[in-house]
Amino acid sequence: QDVRLLKNPRFRRLLEARVLGHAAQNAMAYALLILVVEKSGSSVDTTLLVMAYTIPTVILGIPAGTVADLLPRRLTMATCQLLRAGVALALIYYHGDLFYIYVLAATASGIGQFFSPAESAVVPAVVRRDQLPAASSLMVLTQVLAQMGGMVALAPVLIKLIDPRAVFVACAGLFVGATFIIGWMAT
């Protein structure tokens, strides 16, 4: 049944956009962690980075879910991916300043609070009710693959071969690619 779900073009596009967006999100987080460690060498500063990702979740979790429920899902998802691309592009310029790294990490996390509920709400709109368990398992699988792609492959390779700014350029491109796919996904 999982393979038959992939014949559904709307669900397949959702998975494709998910892979690109989550790979970019994870690569960006990895690159930020490396930057903070290189810039400061302090566990306190890495803790501040984790807090920059966590605090928006606590503050925006419920209100963002409500807002995402009120807005058109595809528009919300596409807008959030474009905003994430903007954060990635801003990191190209501000990658050397810890303050801006924390602010931009918090911004990316805050954007994610609006994106995730919209993305989750799309699944039942694009698959039949009896396909929801299989669709959920494929969503989790794509998330794991995206984590591996972003944190294990993309970010470390680009940091090693070029520098962290190359990761942010790639992330911006992936977020824009995810936006494009979302734009073609009728919901």
Side-chain angles (χ1 to χ4, degrees):
Q1 178 157 335
D2 291 355
V3 176
R4 284 185 294 171
L5 265 175
L6 296 177
K7 292 180 181 177
N8 176 338
R10 296 186 315 161
F11 183 67
R12 191 175 59 247
R13 285 188 186 106
L14 180 63
L15 291 177
E16 292 164 354
R18 183 175 176 89
V19 166
L20 294 181
H22 281 271
Q25 176 183 329
N26 286 293
M28 194 163 64
Y30 180 91
L32 289 175
L33 180 62
I34 296 301
L35 278 173
V36 168
V37 168
E38 285 179 354
K39 298 272 179 235
S40 72
S42 165
S43 61
V44 171
D45 287 315
T46 56
T47 300
L48 290 174
L49 179 65
V50 171
M51 288 175 57
Y53 271 107
T54 307
I55 290 172
T57 303
V58 173
I59 295 171
L60 294 174
I62 293 172
T66 303
V67 169
D69 205 26
L70 296 172
L71 298 174
R73 293 177 196 122
R74 192 170 69 173
L75 175 65
T76 301
M77 291 169 56
T79 301
C80 287
Q81 294 294 41
L82 285 177
L83 290 172
R84 286 175 169 174
V87 168
L89 291 174
L91 283 165
I92 295 167
Y93 183 75
Y94 292 109
H95 73 280
D97 188 316
L98 287 175
F99 173 77
Y100 286 111
I101 287 174
Y102 300 140
V103 168
L104 291 167
T107 302
S109 177
I111 294 166
Q113 296 311 303
F114 293 90
F115 178 84
S116 293
E119 182 186 48
S120 296
V122 166
V123 176
V126 298
V127 301
R128 293 188 324 261
R129 184 174 175 82
D130 64 310
Q131 295 175 318
L132 282 174
S136 293
S137 68
L138 283 171
M139 293 290 282
V140 170
L141 175 64
T142 57
Q143 183 171 354
V144 171
L145 292 174
Q147 284 176 332
M148 301 272 298
M151 288 184 151
V152 177
L154 180 66
V157 168
L158 288 177
I159 289 171
K160 184 78 168 167
L161 293 178
I162 305 172
D163 69 12
R165 290 175 296 184
V167 176
F168 303 133
V169 170
C171 290
L174 290 172
F175 286 132
V176 169
T179 303
F180 180 77
I181 293 168
I182 291 165
W184 286 99
M185 183 182 69
T187 54

Coordinates of all heavy atoms in Angstrom, one line a residue, residues 10-11 14 39 49 116 123 144 146 157 185:
R10 N -0.3 14.3 -5.7 CA -0.4 15.4 -4.7 C 0.4 14.9 -3.5 O 1.2 15.7 -2.9 CB -1.8 15.7 -4.3 CG -2.6 16.3 -5.5 CD -4.0 16.8 -5.1 NE -4.7 15.8 -4.4 CZ -5.8 16.2 -3.6 NH1 -6.2 17.4 -3.6 NH2 -6.5 15.3 -3.0
F11 N 0.3 13.7 -3.1 CA 1.0 13.2 -1.9 C 2.5 13.1 -2.3 O 3.3 13.4 -1.4 CB 0.4 11.8 -1.5 CG 1.1 11.3 -0.3 CD1 1.0 11.9 1.0 CD2 1.9 10.2 -0.3 CE1 1.6 11.4 2.1 CE2 2.6 9.7 0.8 CZ 2.4 10.3 2.0
L14 N 4.0 16.4 -2.0 CA 4.2 16.7 -0.5 C 5.4 16.1 0.0 O 6.2 16.7 0.7 CB 2.9 16.3 0.3 CG 3.0 16.6 1.7 CD1 3.0 18.1 2.0 CD2 1.7 15.9 2.4
K39 N 33.1 29.7 16.4 CA 33.2 31.1 16.8 C 33.5 31.3 18.3 O 34.2 32.2 18.7 CB 31.9 31.9 16.5 CG 31.6 31.9 15.0 CD 32.3 33.1 14.4 CE 32.0 33.1 12.9 NZ 33.2 33.1 12.0
L49 N 22.2 28.5 21.3 CA 21.7 28.2 20.0 C 20.5 27.2 20.2 O 19.5 27.4 19.5 CB 22.8 27.5 19.2 CG 22.3 27.1 17.8 CD1 21.9 28.3 16.9 CD2 23.4 26.3 17.1
S116 N 4.7 23.5 10.2 CA 4.5 22.1 10.5 C 3.0 21.8 10.7 O 2.5 20.8 10.1 CB 5.2 21.8 11.8 OG 6.6 21.8 11.6
V123 N -1.9 16.3 4.8 CA -1.9 14.9 4.5 C -3.4 14.3 4.4 O -3.7 13.6 3.4 CB -1.1 14.1 5.6 CG1 -1.2 12.6 5.4 CG2 0.3 14.6 5.6
V144 N 13.2 11.3 8.2 CA 14.5 10.7 8.5 C 15.5 10.8 7.4 O 16.7 11.1 7.6 CB 14.3 9.2 9.0 CG1 15.6 8.5 9.2 CG2 13.5 9.2 10.3
A146 N 15.6 13.0 5.1 CA 16.0 14.4 5.0 C 17.0 14.8 6.1 O 17.9 15.5 5.8 CB 14.7 15.3 5.1
V157 N 29.7 18.0 4.0 CA 30.5 18.0 2.8 C 30.7 19.4 2.3 O 31.9 19.8 2.0 CB 29.7 17.2 1.6 CG1 30.4 17.4 0.3 CG2 29.8 15.7 2.0
M185 N 1.3 21.7 -6.1 CA 0.5 20.7 -5.4 C -0.9 21.2 -5.1 O -1.1 22.0 -4.2 CB 1.2 20.3 -4.0 CG 0.5 19.2 -3.2 SD 1.4 18.9 -1.7 CE 1.0 20.5 -0.8

